[in-house]
Structures are given as structure tokens and as C-alpha cells.
């Protein structure tokens, strides 16, 4: 019997393996042990273990390293300049108002400025410094801490960019590329180093994009706890970015476009239960509309709560609001009832309304009579006397008191010039459909076109509407002859009217038009006892709306003045091509100088990618039309959400500045720049997807080196230039880069 045959070959293979692994025989026939370098083998295992560990936890290790570098680039030598730099003069001062709890007015929502105030509070600052531009900081103000507080928001943009790139499904080299473009963007690093709102605006813009992209990644996990969490986080982030600057509305619009498309696609999914679709709609209404609105309103509620003292911005608010501020003169000691002969100021009750005002300047066209405007600052030109109409006897100060009543015909006499509030059938200077309102004649010279009929609308303190009372009574003034109503909308006059609010006589009778409603703000009459009309509170919602419209009106008034040259202003077309920079301070040799300019590689590369993306989409559309099937559905989705939406974001953040008439500066482009960077990331990721791993890394490493190298080259404009600016003449590549004269 043969027992040594190989039926499977297994034993033969095992023996062959033993022979292969056995040490070679020595010359005398005995086996010789093989010498193995244990240390070398162990070293390879350790290196392989570290590499594997770093690869596995790259999503934690990489952002930590990037964030540490971000804190360095944003905070190295941050306290070098000890003077108030650029817009620190504005936002530092606003922070001071919070510390002193003084009410102020600004065109931006309050969240960012409250954070500036918080930084001052944490720094031990008492709010006493005036933050005059170019002035040296006092020894007792830790401005370095306040700058570090702001710089932290700028530094934290870097990890947000990293995780956003991951959520957009970019490959690791591209994720690092996008992160490095944000990290080593000179303009981001520079503007984050000062007491400004821009680092906060960028932080919340970045966080909104991250929350949106993460929410999109969870589309197949709807209604899970994580899904609901990101819905709410997106809403909170939208609310915060809008509460820093209204530019955040463009970010809101991007999420809105995505939501509309997403719900439309779900509407077409016939397999989706109607209840699920209703929950999807409700979740987005709550998360993307209700939550942001509540966050935005909450910032104003805190704003009103903190600023409880009278301050420089009182006049922008309603009279009743002002009367409830500590230390105000509005309503304090003012008699309650108005009588003929009383001297008073009239406040327009429209949102953003001012005080009825006149001055000796006349209209350059139309009647050429004395101008009537609405003005927010308090001066003697806001004072008016209530006088009887011309059919009645002349005013006699010794006669019995005659209360101004509903439906009574009166005259209003300007206290400084003695002229009558007047209207006639002449077109208003700006709103041509309305009648012009002017000041004309005097107490003896005039006609029935000086007559106004009082129409009481409401009273916050009484059901008795038969009289006009200080602060609480809302009334309209109807021109007795023409039948039009005195109105002050949010229309600003040209420079000849000092850009004050136009006052007209509107022909259409709209009783609910609050811009035709007026109230008496202050009232002086020695014959009447003092009252306390300010004991009535102004409702929050009305104050909230009033302030927001006032902000909008003032924002619209920020137009370039043709009579003044603004060396810091720039045009929107200059930003994407990095045609211009901005000097943030004086340029004397004794001053530490900062120049707001971007990284050329980041700017030019990101701008070029916008055009390349357009060509890429056009290429695929043409080939699709011709019947080619180049892309998988997953690739189409990536182009759609990782490429097209960043382009939408850029358009939404850039084109409004092209269209708007207000004065613009280079930093207005910074939110749009981020979306251009994301577009560059997509174009790079898509274009290199079929290349070998080594070639991909080679291309990316070259771009890393270029971005970092240019940042280092231009780092003096970030960290501060000391001495003569001629030392950095080599950085003046173009005439508009005014790094040197």
C-alpha cells in the first residue's frame, strides 16, 4: 500500500515552505541561525504604527495643527501697534457704550458690538476711553486682550473651513488645500487682529456653511437626533451671522435656495408619505426661519436691556422709548396737555423717524422757500410753537389756556426763524408725487396754506382722544386747504439738504401710514404743571421694528459724496482681481503700519476657478446634449452641491455690492472670497481625480508651497511694518498696492 502519495499537495507545500524558511546549511552540514536586525524591524513597526494612527485620526490631528497655526498667524505681535487703528475708532467706541450702558445708534445689528463690549469687560476696561482714530491707547486699557478676543474668531475660521471641505466630500489633499488657503490668506489674518466686526462675521459665515453642508450630508438620516441637531445649529448660526451684519442675509439666501430646491425634489418623490413631507417642511420653517428670527430678536432684546441709560443714539428711537431711559430729558418735567403757545418738538412715529426740523437754507428749486426736514439730532431748530389759525384772534399769552384738540385747525411756527409750516401745490424735491413742505412768512405774513388740522389717531395712556398729550398721543396733521398729510418717509435729501429726511405732504389718505403719525416729544410751557408721561412703557416689538428701519435708512444714506475724496474706498470690480489694498492707519515712519491686501495666489486662483467652473459645467452640458454619459450620478451630485452652491454663495455675497450705491471697501469682499476658495477646492479636486496618488500630492504640495511662500513674503503687512515703508518697496507689485508712496 502506498502511503507516501500526495493526494492534495498540502503536505508537499508545507514541506517546501519549511525548507524555504529553514536556515541554510553550513559547510559541515549543520544549520546556521539567520541574523535578524531586531531594532530595524521594530523601528519599521513603530513607524508603521504611527503612520497608521495619524492616518486614522487625521480628522482630529490635522485641524488641531491648522488651528494652532491659525492662532499664531492671527495673534503674533498683535499688540505691537498701541494706537487706535482704522475702524477700531467705531467699534471700540460702541463697546464702550455697552460698558457705560449708554444707548447709541449704528447701522449694524448689535451682536458683534456686544461681543466687543464683552471683551472690554473681560479685560477690565471701564468704558472711559473715546477711541479716537490714531490716538494712543491708555495704560489702563488692555487693548491687546480685546484684540486677542477678536482674533480668536478669525483663528477658529480655519478648523471650520477644514470640516466644511470634508463635508463637501473633497479628498484629503484638497481639504488641506482649502484649509491652507484660509489659514494663509493675508487679508483674513490682518483683519482678525483688530477690534472689528469682520472676524466675527467671517466666523459665523463659516459656521453657517459648515452646518448647512453637514445637514446636507445627513439627508439619508432624516429625523434622527443628529439630523435635528444640525437643523437647529444651522438656524442658530444663521441668526448669529445676521445679528453681526446684514451681509449675513446673503448667507441666509443661500440656505434658502438650497431648502427650496430640496423641498421641491421631495415634493416630487411620490414614495414619500405626506406626513413625512409635512414634517420636512415644518422642520425647515422652524429651523431656518423661526430659530434665526428668535436669535436675531434676542440680540436686540439684550441690546435694549443693557443700554438702559440715555446716550448719543436716543434720537433714533421713539419718544416713549427715550422717555424710559435713565438720565434722559425727554418727557421729564414736560406738561402733559398741549395748549396754544406751547413750545414743543414733534417726532415722526414712522420707523426710523426723526424730529420735525427747519433751518435757514432754502430749496434750490421748486418754491425756493425755507427747507423742512426730519433730523435725528437734537437742537433748537427742532422747536415749534402751537399757534391759532389766521381766522382766529392773534395769540395772547395772557388769555385763558386753550387746549389743542382733535379736529382743531392750528399753525406751527418755527421757533428760530419765526416762519410758518407751509405747503402748496409744488412738487416735493425728491418724491415728486407729493407736495413740497416749506417754511414761509411769519406770524403776521401768510395765508390759509399755513393751516393744519389735527387728527388724533391714538393715545397710549388714555381712552380720551379729545386732546393732544406729550409722548402718548399719536396724531396726523392734515393740510386744511390741500387735504394732504404731513409725512416723513425714509427718503434722504441730496447734499444740499444735508442728507436729512425729506418731509412732504402726501396726497393719498392712508390712516395706517405710520410715517404720517406724529407725537410731541418735548414740551415747554411755564403756565402748565409738569407731568410724567414717560411712566408708560414702549413695547419691545415696536422698538425692535423702529430701530431696524432706522438702521436700514441710515445704511441707504451711506453713498459716496462727490464733493469728498475717500482714499480708502474702492470699487467692487477691483476686489476679485486684487487690484487694490487699503491702508489701515497713518503711514508715518513712527507708526506701525498695516496694509489690507490678500494673498495673490488665493485671490487670483479662486477668481480663476469661478470661470473654470463655468467652463466645466458648459463642457458637460454640451457633451450631455450630444448623448455622452461622462458622469455618474454621484459625480453629478458632487458638482451640484460641492461646486455649484459655493458659486451661488459667491454670487450672492458679491453681486449686491456691484449693484448697491453705498460706499464700498475691500473688506466687503471677504465673505464672498470664502465661497471662491471653496470653488477653487472643488475645481482642483475634480480636475485631479483621475491622476495617480503621487501626482495628486505633487500638484497639491506645489500649491501649498506657493500659498505659504506668498504669505511669508507679504507677512510684514500682516504683522506690522515698523520704520520707513520704503523697506517694503518690493511688495508694491502694482500701482494700487500703496504699500509705499
Amino acid at each position: 500500500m502506498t502511503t507516501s502519495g500526495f493526494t492534495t499537495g498540502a503536505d508537499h507545500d508545507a514541506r517546501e515552505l519549511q525548507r524555504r524558511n529553514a536556515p541554510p546549511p553550513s559547510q559541515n552540514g549543520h544549520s546556521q541561525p539567520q541574523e535578524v536586525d531586531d531594532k530595524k524591524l521594530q523601528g519599521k513597526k513603530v513607524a508603521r504604527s504611527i503612520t497608521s494612527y495619524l492616518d486614522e485620526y487625521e480628522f482630529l490631528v490635522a485641524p488641531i495643527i491648522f488651528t494652532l497655526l491659525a492662532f499664531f498667524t492671527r495673534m503674533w505681535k498683535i499688540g505691537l501697534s498701541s494706537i487706535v487703528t482704522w475702524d477700531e475708532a467705531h467699534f471700540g467706541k460702541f463697546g464702550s457704550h455697552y460698558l457705560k450702558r449708554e444707548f447709541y445708534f449704528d447701522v449694524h445689528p448689535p451682536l458683534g458690538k456686544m461681543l466687543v463690549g464683552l471683551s472690554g469687560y473681560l479685560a477690565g476696561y471701564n468704558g472711559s476711553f473715546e477711541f479716537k482714530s490714531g490716538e494712543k491707547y491708555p495704560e489702563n486699557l488692555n487693548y491687546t486682550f480685546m484684540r486677542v478676543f477678536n482674533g480668536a474668531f478669525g483663528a477658529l475660521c480655519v478648523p471650520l473651513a477644514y470640516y466644511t471641505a470634508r463635508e463637501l466630500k473633497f479628498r484629503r489633499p484638497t481639504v488641506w488645500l482649502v484649509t491652507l488657503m484660509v489659514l494663509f490668506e493675508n487679508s483674513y489674518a490682518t483683519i482678525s487682529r483688530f477690534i472689528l466686526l469682520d472676524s466675527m462675521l467671517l466666523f459665523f459665515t463659516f459656521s453657517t456653511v459648515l452646518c448647512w453642508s453637514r445637514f446636507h450630508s445627513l439627508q439619508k438620516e432624516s429625523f434622527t437626533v443628529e439630523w435635528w441637531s444640525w437643523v437647529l445649529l444651522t438656524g442658530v448660526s444663521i441668526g448669529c451671522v445676521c445679528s453681526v451684519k446684514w451681509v449675513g442675509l446673503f448667507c441666509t439666501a443661500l440656505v434658502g435656495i438650497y431648502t427650496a430646491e430640496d423641498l421641491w425634489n421631495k415634493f416630487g418623490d411620490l414614495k414619500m408619505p405626506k406626513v413625512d413631507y409635512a414634517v420636512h417642511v415644518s422642520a425647515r420653517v422652524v429651523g431656518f426661519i423661526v430659530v434665526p428670527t428668535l436669535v436675531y430678536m434676542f440680540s436686540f432684546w439684550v441690546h435694549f436691556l443693557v443700554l438702559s441709560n440715555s446716550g448719543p443714539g436716543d434720537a433714533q428711537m421713539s419718544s416713549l422709548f427715550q422717555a424710559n431711559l435713565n438720565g434722559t430729558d425727554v418727557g421729564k418735567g414736560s406738561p402733559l396737555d398741549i395748549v396754544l403757545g406751547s413750545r414743543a418738538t414733534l417726532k415722526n412715529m414712522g420707523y426710523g423717524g426723526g424730529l420735525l426740523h427747519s433751518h435757514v437754507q432754502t430749496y434750490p428749486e421748486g418754491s425756493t422757500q425755507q427747507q423742512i426736514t426730519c433730523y435725528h439730532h437734537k437742537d433748537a431748530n427742532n422747536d415749534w410753537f402751537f399757534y391759532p389759525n389766521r381766522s382766529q384772534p392773534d395769540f395772547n399769552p395772557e388769555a385763558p389756556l386753550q387746549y389743542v384738540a382733535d379736529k382743531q385747525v392750528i399753525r406751527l411756527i418755527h421757533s428760530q426763524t419765526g416762519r410758518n409750516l407751509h405747503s402748496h401745490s409744488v412738487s416735493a424735491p425728491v418724491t415728486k408725487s407729493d407736495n413740497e413742505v416749506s417754511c414761509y412768512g411769519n406770524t403776521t405774513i401768510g395765508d390759509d396754506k399755513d393751516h393744519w388740522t389735527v387728527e388724533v389717531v391714538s393715545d397710549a395712556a388714555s381712552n380720551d382722544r379729545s386732546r393732544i398729550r406729550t409722548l402718548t398721543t399719536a396724531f396726523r396733521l392734515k393740510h386744511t386747504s390741500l387735504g394732504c398729510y404731513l409725512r416723513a418717509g425714509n427718503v434722504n435729501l441730496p447734499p444740499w439738504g444735508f442728507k436729512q429726511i425729506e418731509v412732504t405732504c402726501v396726497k393719498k389718505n392712508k390712516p395706517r401710514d405710520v410715517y404720517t403719525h406724529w407725537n410731541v416729544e418735548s414740551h415747554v410751557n411755564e403756565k402748565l404743571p409738569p407731568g410724567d408721561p414717560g411712566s408708560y412703557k414702549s413695547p419691545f416689538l415696536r422698538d425692535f421694528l423702529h430701530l431696524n428701519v432706522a438702521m436700514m435708512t441710515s445704511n441707504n444714506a451711506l453713498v459716496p459724496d462727490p464733493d469728498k475724496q475717500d482714499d480708502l474706498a474702492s470699487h467692487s470690480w477691483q476686489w476679485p482681481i486684487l487690484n487694490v489694498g487699503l491702508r489701515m492707519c497713518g503711514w508715518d515712519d513712527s507708526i506701525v503700519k498695516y496694509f489690507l491686501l490678500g494673498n495673490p495666489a488665493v485671490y487670483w486662483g479662486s477668481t480663476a476657478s469661478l470661470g473654470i467652473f463655468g467652463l466645466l459645467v458648459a463642457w458637460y452640458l454640451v457633451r450631455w446634449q450630444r448623448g455622452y454619459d461622462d458622469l455618474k450620478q454621484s459625480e453629478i451630485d458632487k458638482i451640484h452641491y460641492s461646486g455649484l452652491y459655493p458659486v451661488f454663495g459667491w454670487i450672492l455675497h458679491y453681486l449686491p455690492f456691484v449693484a448697491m450705491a453705498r460706499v464700498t471697501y475691500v473688506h466687503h469682499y471677504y465673505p464672498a472670497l470664502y465661497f471662491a476658495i471653496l470653488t477653487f477646492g472643488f475645481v482642483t479636486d475634480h480636475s485631479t481625480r483621475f491622476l495617480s496618488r503621487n501626482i495628486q500630492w505633487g500638484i497639491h504640495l506645489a500649491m501649498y508651497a506657493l500659498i505659504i511662500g506668498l504669505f511669508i513674503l507679504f507677512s510684514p503687512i500682516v504683522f506690522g511694518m515698523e520704520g520707513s515703508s520704503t523697506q517694503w518697496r518690493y511688495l508694491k507689485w502694482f500701482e494700487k498696492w500703496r504699500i509705499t508712496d
Side-chain angles (χ1 to χ4, degrees):
M1 182 175 63
T2 304
T3 58
S4 60
F6 301 107
T7 57
T8 63
D11 291 343
H12 177 268
D13 291 342
R15 291 172 185 174
E16 286 297 316
L17 183 61
Q18 287 176 354
R19 283 196 292 271
R20 285 198 297 271
N21 291 335
S26 62
Q27 291 181 349
N28 58 10
H30 298 287
S31 296
Q32 179 71 29
Q34 182 179 6
E35 296 182 7
V36 180
D37 190 347
D38 291 338
K39 291 184 178 180
K40 191 172 183 180
L41 183 61
Q42 186 177 3
K44 288 182 178 178
K45 288 182 178 179
V46 172
R48 200 160 45 240
S49 176
I50 293 175
T51 304
S52 176
Y53 177 84
L54 291 176
D55 184 67
E56 183 180 357
Y57 292 98
E58 181 272 344
F59 71 98
L60 290 175
V61 176
I64 289 174
I65 294 172
F66 288 136
T67 304
L68 291 174
L69 289 171
F71 273 91
F72 173 79
T73 58
R74 272 62 176 172
M75 297 185 183
W76 172 249
K77 299 169 68 175
I78 196 170
L80 180 62
S81 175
S82 60
I83 65 171
V84 178
T85 302
W86 197 38
D87 278 352
E88 286 185 330
H90 297 299
F91 302 115
K93 180 171 60 180
F94 295 146
S96 298
H97 288 310
Y98 284 106
L99 296 174
K100 293 186 290 184
R101 306 192 68 174
E102 294 176 342
F103 193 85
Y104 73 92
F105 175 77
D106 181 46
V107 297
H108 300 302
L111 178 59
K113 293 165 292 185
M114 285 194 290
L115 290 171
V116 171
L118 176 62
S119 71
Y121 175 80
L122 295 175
Y125 169 51
N126 61 9
S128 59
F129 184 57
E130 294 186 5
F131 280 90
K132 293 181 179 179
S133 183
E135 189 171 332
K136 187 177 178 63
Y137 282 107
E139 294 294 332
N140 62 348
L141 200 167
N142 190 353
Y143 66 92
T144 301
F145 179 88
M146 295 179 69
R147 287 178 177 174
V148 167
F149 183 92
N150 270 53
F153 285 94
L156 292 174
C157 288
V158 172
L160 293 177
Y162 170 87
Y163 286 112
T164 299
R166 282 177 59 95
E167 292 299 330
L168 294 177
K169 304 298 184 291
F170 295 158
R171 293 188 301 278
R172 182 177 297 175
T174 309
V175 171
W176 290 7
L177 176 63
V178 169
T179 308
L180 288 172
M181 291 177 79
V182 174
L183 169 58
F184 292 111
E185 167 48 41
N186 296 72
S187 61
Y188 283 174
T190 306
I191 207 162
S192 298
R193 302 168 66 82
F194 298 98
I195 306 169
L196 307 171
L197 301 187
D198 298 274
S199 59
M200 302 170 191
L201 174 66
L202 289 172
F203 173 82
F204 289 118
T205 299
F206 281 44
S207 66
T208 300
V209 178
L210 172 60
C211 292
W212 160 77
S213 59
R214 181 58 184 162
F215 170 72
H216 172 70
S217 299
L218 295 171
Q219 283 297 291
K220 294 182 180 179
E221 302 177 37
S222 298
F223 310 140
T224 62
V225 173
E226 186 179 7
W227 185 88
W228 279 107
S229 299
W230 285 101
V231 169
L232 296 176
L233 284 172
T234 303
V236 170
S237 190
I238 290 172
C240 288
V241 72
C242 292
S243 299
V244 174
K245 282 188 177 183
W246 279 349
V247 173
L249 291 172
F250 304 143
C251 210
T252 308
L254 179 66
V255 177
I257 292 171
Y258 167 81
T259 302
E261 182 198 3
D262 183 41
L263 290 177
W264 179 252
N265 291 336
K266 284 178 170 55
F267 182 72
D269 183 1
L270 301 181
K271 296 180 180 179
M272 178 176 289
K274 294 180 180 178
V275 174
D276 285 1
Y277 184 75
V279 176
H280 274 292
V281 173
S282 301
R284 286 155 178 79
V285 169
V286 172
F288 301 158
I289 298 176
V290 175
V291 171
T293 302
L294 291 176
V295 171
Y296 184 76
M297 294 179 69
F298 179 72
S299 70
F300 280 88
W301 182 82
V302 176
H303 177 73
F304 292 143
L305 180 67
V306 174
L307 303 182
S308 57
N309 297 328
S310 177
D314 294 5
Q316 291 286 348
M317 299 302 293
S318 69
S319 301
L320 203 54
F321 177 89
Q322 295 178 57
N324 285 280
L325 293 173
N326 300 324
T328 184
D329 293 330
V330 174
K332 304 304 180 188
S334 292
L336 186 61
D337 294 299
I338 310 298
V339 298
L340 294 180
S342 290
R343 187 174 84 245
T345 59
L346 303 183
K347 174 83 170 179
N348 184 263
M349 299 184 70
Y351 303 117
L355 295 162
L356 189 65
H357 177 91
S358 187
H359 38 238
V360 296
Q361 285 79 9
T362 59
Y363 291 113
E365 55 185 21
S367 68
T368 68
Q369 293 174 3
Q370 187 171 303
Q371 296 175 16
I372 295 289
T373 66
C374 255
Y375 190 52
H376 290 104
H377 298 280
K378 298 177 181 179
D379 62 28
N381 280 326
N382 302 330
D383 291 344
W384 299 84
F385 284 106
F386 282 82
Y387 261 48
N389 64 62
R390 295 193 181 278
S391 64
Q392 296 177 311
D394 292 339
F395 172 68
N396 180 6
E398 303 302 326
L401 296 177
Q402 184 179 352
Y403 293 96
V404 177
D406 185 27
K407 301 296 188 290
Q408 183 173 347
V409 178
I410 61 167
R411 283 186 297 155
L412 288 170
I413 309 294
H414 189 238
S415 67
Q416 294 298 297
T417 61
R419 298 187 183 279
N420 304 283
L421 183 68
H422 181 90
S423 187
H424 37 224
S425 298
V426 176
S427 295
V430 179
T431 310
K432 298 296 184 180
S433 59
D434 294 352
N435 291 325
E436 177 193 86
V437 178
S438 63
C439 255
Y440 171 74
N442 51 42
T443 54
T444 57
I445 299 175
D447 53 32
D448 61 356
K449 291 182 180 178
D450 302 332
H451 293 169
W452 300 86
T453 303
V454 176
E455 294 183 359
V456 175
V457 177
S458 63
D459 196 302
S462 174
N463 292 325
D464 180 10
R465 300 183 181 181
S466 62
R467 297 180 180 179
I468 294 181
R469 297 175 180 85
T470 305
L471 292 180
T472 62
T473 304
F475 61 90
R476 306 170 81 203
L477 290 172
K478 179 182 178 180
H479 194 269
T480 310
S481 297
L482 300 177
C484 55
Y485 287 84
L486 190 70
R487 187 179 193 274
N490 288 319
V491 177
N492 294 94
L493 291 169
W496 53 256
F498 309 101
K499 297 183 180 178
Q500 295 173 11
I501 296 175
E502 179 191 37
V503 175
T504 66
C505 200
V506 62
K507 299 173 184 176
K508 293 182 180 179
N509 180 13
K510 296 181 179 180
R512 294 186 179 181
D513 181 6
V514 292
Y515 296 101
T516 63
H517 295 185
W518 302 82
N519 69 264
V520 174
E521 180 169 287
S522 63
H523 174 205
V524 177
N525 195 315
E526 296 178 354
K527 294 186 176 182
L528 295 172
D532 187 20
S535 59
Y536 302 98
K537 300 294 182 184
S538 179
F540 165 74
L541 187 59
R542 179 174 179 80
D543 295 337
F544 168 77
L545 294 173
H546 191 109
L547 181 55
N548 274 266
V549 176
M551 290 157 51
M552 187 185 305
T553 304
S554 298
N555 220 331
N556 293 337
L558 297 176
V559 295
D561 189 339
D563 298 328
K564 295 181 180 179
Q565 180 178 349
D566 190 346
D567 293 332
L568 302 181
S570 56
H571 299 289
S572 57
W573 67 264
Q574 297 176 291
W575 306 335
I577 60 175
L578 201 60
N579 175 261
V580 66
L582 185 148
R583 290 183 175 182
M584 300 185 72
C585 55
W587 228 242
D588 297 340
D589 292 350
S590 59
I591 295 175
V592 180
K593 294 167 281 294
Y594 297 89
F595 192 74
L596 209 50
L597 185 73
N599 186 316
V602 174
Y603 264 73
W604 294 337
S606 62
T607 300
S609 71
L610 296 166
I612 294 171
F613 179 82
L615 294 174
L616 192 67
V617 171
W619 167 258
Y620 284 125
L621 287 175
V622 169
R623 287 183 61 80
W624 174 76
Q625 184 67 17
R626 295 293 296 170
Y628 292 95
D629 190 13
D630 295 327
L631 300 170
K632 301 176 184 177
Q633 185 59 45
S634 60
E635 292 175 315
I636 294 174
D637 288 342
K638 188 173 181 180
I639 292 174
H640 185 179
Y641 294 106
S642 302
L644 189 60
Y645 270 94
V647 172
F648 280 164
W650 181 84
I651 291 171
L652 288 169
H653 284 78
Y654 176 66
L655 287 189
F657 289 101
V658 177
M660 68 177 57
R662 65 154 290 171
V663 61
T664 53
Y665 303 94
V666 293
H667 68 286
H668 289 145
Y669 184 66
Y670 293 167
L673 175 62
Y674 178 53
F675 292 96
I677 289 173
L678 293 176
T679 305
F680 183 85
F682 170 80
V683 169
T684 303
D685 195 74
H686 186 80
S687 302
T688 59
R689 69 192 189 284
F690 293 133
L691 300 177
S692 68
R693 186 171 181 273
N694 290 338
I695 294 177
Q696 284 186 37
W697 275 106
I699 293 172
H700 282 82
L701 286 171
M703 289 190 284
Y704 299 165
L706 178 62
I707 292 166
I708 296 171
L710 285 173
F711 175 84
I712 294 173
L713 178 66
F714 284 89
S715 61
I717 68 175
V718 177
F719 301 133
M721 298 176 285
E722 299 180 82
S724 174
S725 62
T726 57
Q727 302 173 69
W728 296 277
R729 190 180 300 277
Y730 64 91
L731 297 178
K732 188 178 181 180
W733 292 5
F734 301 99
E735 187 63 30
K736 295 287 186 179
W737 294 10
R738 298 175 56 243
I739 298 173
T740 61
D741 291 322

